Amino acid sequence: MATWQIVQKSAYLSDFVELNKNLQQAVVKAVTELEQDPVTPRGDTIKKMKGWKNVWRYRLGSFRLVYAVKPEAKLIQLLAIGPRGAIYQRFNVPDSWDAPDTAVSFGPELAAKPEWMNHPEWFQPKEQKSQKEKLPRKLTPSLLAKWRIDPQFQEPLMRCLYAEDLLNIPDNKVPADVLGRIMDGLYPATANQIAAQADQVLFDPEDLIRYAEGTLTGFLLKLDEQQEPLTNWALAGPTLVKGGPGSGKSTVALYRLREIVTHHLAETGEVPSILFTTYTNALINSSESLLRQLLQDVLKLKSNGSLPKEIRITTLHKTAQWIARRSGEKFDMAWDNQREEALRAALASLQPKELGDAAKIVTANALDGLREDYLLAEFDWVIEGQNCHSEADYLAADRAGRGIPFSQGKRKAVWQLYTAYRENLLSQGKYTWGHLIQFALNQVQSGEFSNRWDYVIVDEAQDLPPAALALAVELCREPSGVFLTADANQSLYNRGFRWTRVHENLNVKGRTRILQRNHRSTRQIAAAACEIMAPIPDFDAEVMKQEYVHVGTKPVIYGAAGSEDQTRWIANQIYQAARTLRLPINAATVLVYSSSVGKPLANTLTECGLPAKFMNSSQFDLEEPCIKVTTLHAAKGLEFPIVVVAHVEAGRLPRETDATDPDEIVTHLQEQRRLFFVGCTRAMRHLFVTYDRQLPSSFLADLTDGQWQWESSS
């Protein structure tokens, strides 16, 4: 039985598929041996590599298998395998290397800058290559077949002579994952590049053979010691997992579902009923794609890859629609302009027509100065969001985070206005999403809708209204089956509700865990993003006390001379960052405040030779072979290696407001600041922020040279 756990880097897998079958079998045998003891030297077979603290090599004739060990975790990381000379070159171990005994540790710090770069006396640096870099190997049919490249993609690849040719292949000709395999084969990763790669779990060394033969498509990412206990099926709920951006909350939620399914299949032979829900359609789409991968070794999926009917992945709003349809009710949802018209009509109806109309005068005075968008948000997040059915309910509602304090008299006036507003909508046969959630919640609580799920998993819970969360709790057969992930710092609406007021069964006291390791962004990106949030008083600093797996360079802020210069600079940075990361350009996304900015920007990027497409939340497709241009709201919960937050300019971010009340202005600016923070924390390795230097956003004034690199057009 194995005593050490084995994980592997993608660089190692790329090396492995290059080996002949006999050598592959020898590697599997060696890995099986290492599972028992990777750190006891055995003649010339197993030795620690010179100049490294925790890196060893296993000799296989003229080949070397390189691995790192973490004795405290009983963990082996398979890093690379190849001919002796090539391996030593990749790991900078020349025969003449005179490094000190306590040289370099293999770990995340290596991803940013190898320690030996600070010691030129250790070795002679190589000459810089010319910018026009010829491919190191000719792409032939036999080589591409060896790398398991489908014949349909081979023709455009074989025409490539230079690295630039590969990066400029249209995405509809060669998919991103195929191009990634080509780059890995042509340019074996260096030690610092390998350090930046995620750990993939190797459950059985024989899986390497299946992977090389193509019968195993990939490996699961490894959970760390903070995350893994939270996926355990026996964890008594309701449970809340908190964490900052990139802490792996969503990953934990997905693995939690997998663990539940695995356990129930082993115990009963049946798949349990699970409702997995989250905030946006884009996040639902990406979650479903990831779950298909996670469950493919657990479930016998249908030929089209659909998940079994017992597992439902959808937003809570769509769940409410489904409940309404099951009841026979038809809800015609109101558009934003229809809601605005209904509100204006309600306001007009409450205006006093005569001087002696004291009641209406009092109501009108109480409502004076409250903007329409603020009132609609009050309806959405407090009245309907907290399932208020009466004035008494509203008078008792929690308005934390709304910015403007309301007296009892002002609340009564707002309730009168809401009643008139709702009557106006209903007279037209129109409903709001809040109405729909309230209806669905009533159907469930009254027993009219009897379906229940064994487990309900809510990802990004902080961005759902309390009534929607209450619906999620009611839909779970037992409170112990409820599992939430949340981060108050990423809330787009700053509502500040308390979990205990959402539902009597949602008592997470003593069952709240905090993830404090950031797996997404580099330390530099996270530190820069924290500057954005620093001015907000209720910034949850505890959640942001994170360890960082990755390190890198400072994010860049670019002041452009107009939109054309801004787009050209964005195109160039995406291209250069993709080359640095050895990724296709569709690893990048550009985030903007609105579609009016995003659509023309996507068109211009395409004209620059970088295929781009604007996608809203409902259209978002992670597998689309292009640069994704989308809104900051739609990107919530997603992550990308390269992120550009574009047009951070006055009037756009923060957007303009006609608010005059000081508290309301503060609330508006805090919401916009959170949105900027959310956008920046989508970045994994490279973050760029751009603006027109004639229209700088006020938010940029809070950002310092210490955390950001500032550039501008000449």
Side-chain angles (χ1 to χ4, degrees):
M1 182 177 178
T3 59
W4 288 65
Q5 183 183 15
I6 295 186
V7 297
Q8 57 202 342
K9 302 291 188 177
S10 59
Y12 168 81
L13 290 172
S14 296
D15 292 345
F16 184 84
V17 298
E18 288 266 7
L19 307 177
N20 63 51
K21 290 186 177 181
N22 289 336
L23 192 50
Q24 286 178 350
Q25 291 289 352
V27 171
V28 170
K29 184 177 179 181
V31 171
T32 303
E33 180 184 342
L34 291 175
E35 282 185 307
Q36 306 303 320
D37 179 7
V39 293
T40 300
R42 292 194 275 285
D44 194 38
T45 301
I46 296 179
K47 286 184 176 181
K48 183 179 285 189
M49 286 186 69
K50 184 179 179 181
W52 292 87
K53 291 180 182 178
N54 62 334
V55 177
W56 295 66
R57 62 88 167 144
Y58 189 109
R59 182 176 179 270
L60 291 155
S62 61
F63 281 70
R64 299 293 183 269
L65 166 61
V66 181
Y67 60 94
V69 295
K70 294 183 178 180
E72 69 283 358
K74 302 286 281 187
L75 182 72
I76 302 168
Q77 294 173 301
L78 303 178
L79 307 181
I81 184 170
R84 175 183 181 276
I87 284 292
Y88 287 166
Q89 185 178 26
R90 288 166 71 181
F91 283 81
N92 286 271
V93 190
D95 293 335
S96 59
W97 189 7
D98 189 24
D101 292 337
T102 56
V104 182
S105 288
F106 185 88
E109 291 289 342
L110 199 63
K113 186 177 182 182
E115 187 173 337
W116 51 74
M117 286 187 177
N118 297 320
H119 298 275
E121 70 276 11
W122 290 3
F123 68 101
Q124 290 296 317
K126 298 177 182 179
E127 294 182 4
Q128 292 292 321
K129 295 182 179 179
S130 62
Q131 189 172 3
K132 189 76 170 176
E133 183 182 345
K134 195 169 184 178
L135 294 179
R137 301 169 72 176
K138 186 177 181 180
L139 298 178
T140 63
S142 59
L143 181 61
L144 294 173
K146 188 176 185 180
W147 290 341
R148 293 184 299 164
I149 304 301
D150 193 294
Q152 65 176 311
F153 306 128
Q154 291 186 9
E155 184 180 346
L157 288 168
M158 288 189 293
R159 290 200 295 265
C160 295
L161 300 178
Y162 298 93
E164 287 81 357
D165 298 338
L166 277 178
L167 292 174
N168 286 325
I169 291 180
D171 293 306
N172 59 353
K173 298 290 186 183
V174 179
D177 61 327
V178 173
L179 185 57
R181 295 209 305 274
I182 297 292
M183 296 297 282
D184 283 342
L186 289 173
Y187 302 99
T190 59
N192 56 308
Q193 290 170 334
I194 294 172
Q197 296 174 351
D199 288 335
Q200 302 175 52
V201 181
L202 181 63
F203 294 105
D204 180 356
E206 290 291 338
D207 283 344
L208 290 168
I209 300 297
R210 289 188 279 273
Y211 177 78
E213 292 173 345
T215 57
L216 180 65
T217 58
F219 298 88
L220 299 175
L221 295 181
K222 182 183 183 300
L223 294 172
D224 67 25
E225 68 277 6
Q226 289 184 2
Q227 298 168 332
E228 194 162 8
L230 303 182
T231 69
N232 192 291
W233 69 269
L235 189 64
T239 300
L240 170 63
V241 175
K242 293 173 61 178
S247 59
K249 301 182 300 297
S250 297
T251 300
V252 167
L254 294 169
Y255 269 88
R256 167 76 171 175
L257 189 151
R258 181 180 187 272
E259 194 69 21
I260 290 169
V261 172
T262 302
H263 168 74
H264 276 262
L265 281 174
E267 291 291 314
T268 68
E270 297 180 352
V271 177
S273 60
I274 304 173
L275 174 63
F276 185 99
T277 185
T278 189
Y279 169 59
T280 66
N281 288 316
L283 199 50
I284 285 293
N285 294 339
S286 64
S287 297
E288 186 167 4
S289 176
L290 291 169
L291 278 172
R292 283 198 297 268
Q293 296 178 40
L294 278 172
L295 294 174
Q296 64 183 352
D297 64 332
V298 178
L299 298 174
K300 190 174 182 180
L301 298 180
K302 298 177 182 178
S303 58
N304 62 2
S306 297
L307 294 169
K309 60 181 176 58
E310 291 86 356
I311 300 175
R312 186 178 182 88
I313 305 174
T314 186
T315 65
L316 276 171
H317 287 104
K318 287 186 176 179
T319 301
Q321 283 183 310
W322 180 60
I323 292 171
R325 285 196 299 270
R326 291 283 295 270
S327 73
E329 293 289 336
K330 183 179 179 182
F331 280 76
D332 188 6
M333 309 311 296
W335 294 92
D336 286 345
N337 65 318
Q338 293 171 322
R339 296 179 63 215
E340 291 164 2
E341 290 170 3
L343 174 60
R344 291 179 192 129
L347 284 166
S349 71
L350 295 178
Q351 291 299 313
K353 301 295 190 294
E354 301 175 359
L355 290 177
D357 195 344
K360 284 192 174 181
I361 290 174
V362 170
T363 300
N365 287 339
L367 297 173
D368 186 44
L370 296 177
R371 292 181 302 110
E372 290 180 6
D373 60 343
Y374 185 88
L375 287 166
L376 288 171
E378 185 78 6
F379 298 165
D380 291 344
W381 299 108
V382 181
I383 295 179
E384 295 173 359
Q386 294 190 37
N387 199 29
C388 297
H389 291 283
S390 66
E391 182 184 90
D393 290 341
Y394 180 49
L395 291 176
D398 185 357
R399 297 189 65 259
R402 290 293 296 142
I404 302 175
F406 277 12
S407 64
Q408 291 288 291
K410 190 178 285 286
R411 288 202 192 204
K412 289 180 179 180
V414 171
W415 180 259
Q416 280 185 266
L417 178 65
Y418 172 74
T419 302
Y421 155 82
R422 181 162 184 170
E423 288 174 353
N424 287 337
L425 286 176
L426 293 177
S427 68
Q428 305 170 56
K430 299 294 181 181
Y431 296 85
T432 66
W433 287 106
H435 296 156
L436 180 63
I437 291 289
Q438 287 180 315
F439 175 84
L441 184 57
N442 181 66
Q443 288 285 298
V444 175
Q445 290 175 331
S446 67
E448 293 292 326
F449 180 84
S450 58
N451 284 36
R452 295 293 186 276
W453 281 267
D454 297 323
Y455 297 89
V456 173
I457 299 174
V458 184
D459 190 23
E460 303 288 357
Q462 75 278 352
D463 285 322
L464 292 167
L469 288 174
L471 176 62
V473 176
E474 288 284 350
L475 288 171
C476 194
R477 189 163 280 112
E478 297 291 340
S480 60
V482 176
F483 186 90
L484 311 175
T485 75
D487 174 8
N489 290 329
Q490 291 191 70
S491 173
L492 297 182
Y493 302 101
N494 190 27
R495 295 183 304 284
F497 62 84
R498 295 193 294 268
W499 299 103
T500 51
R501 300 198 64 170
V502 171
H503 193 283
E504 61 183 3
N505 287 337
L506 195 54
N507 180 9
V508 296
K509 186 176 182 180
R511 290 187 289 269
T512 297
R513 317 292 168 86
I514 298 179
L515 294 171
Q516 293 185 314
R517 184 170 295 155
N518 187 309
H519 293 265
R520 176 192 297 149
S521 304
T522 65
R523 180 185 302 146
Q524 288 75 12
I525 289 173
C530 281
E531 282 198 334
I532 298 170
M533 293 291 286
I536 296 183
D538 64 348
F539 177 51
D540 192 344
E542 185 66 28
V543 167
M544 293 304 295
K545 291 179 181 176
Q546 294 180 308
E547 306 167 25
Y548 294 94
V549 174
H550 303 289
V551 291
T553 57
K554 289 181 184 178
V556 180
I557 300 177
Y558 180 73
S563 293
E564 185 177 342
D565 175 48
Q566 193 166 167
T567 305
R568 278 201 305 266
W569 189 86
I570 289 171
N572 182 61
Q573 295 306 309
I574 288 175
Y575 181 79
Q576 295 299 329
R579 286 205 63 184
T580 300
L581 296 175
R582 305 191 325 151
L583 292 172
I585 58 171
N586 57 19
T589 191
V590 182
L591 305 180
V592 293
Y593 188 80
S594 68
S595 60
S596 62
V597 175
K599 290 178 180 178
L601 194 152
N603 292 337
T604 307
L605 285 173
T606 301
E607 291 169 3
C608 291
L610 301 182
K613 181 179 179 181
F614 179 81
M615 304 177 185
N616 59 32
S617 178
S618 61
Q619 300 168 327
F620 203 90
D621 183 1
L622 285 173
E623 298 176 3
E624 183 84 15
C626 63
I627 295 171
K628 286 80 177 169
V629 182
T630 191
T631 64
L632 291 157
H633 284 87
K636 185 74 176 68
L638 301 176
E639 58 185 36
F640 308 90
I642 305 163
V643 168
V644 182
V645 183
H647 290 282
V648 182
E649 294 151 358
R652 285 177 168 158
L653 193 66
R655 67 173 172 80
E656 293 180 343
T657 175
D658 56 4
T660 57
D661 184 278
D663 291 330
E664 190 176 356
I665 292 172
V666 168
T667 299
H668 169 75
L669 291 175
Q670 288 182 356
E671 290 173 356
Q672 294 289 289
R673 191 177 287 276
R674 290 176 190 276
L675 189 59
F676 186 22
F677 172 78
V678 166
C680 289
T681 54
R682 301 309 93 201
M684 299 167 68
R685 298 294 177 272
H686 287 280
L687 170 63
F688 306 99
V689 172
T690 66
Y691 69 99
D692 187 324
R693 63 189 184 193
Q694 300 298 320
L695 298 167
S697 166
S698 59
F699 292 161
L700 299 178
D702 299 313
L703 310 184
T704 68
D705 293 343
Q707 305 296 347
W708 298 81
Q709 178 180 328
W710 291 77
E711 297 181 5
S712 64
S713 60
S714 56

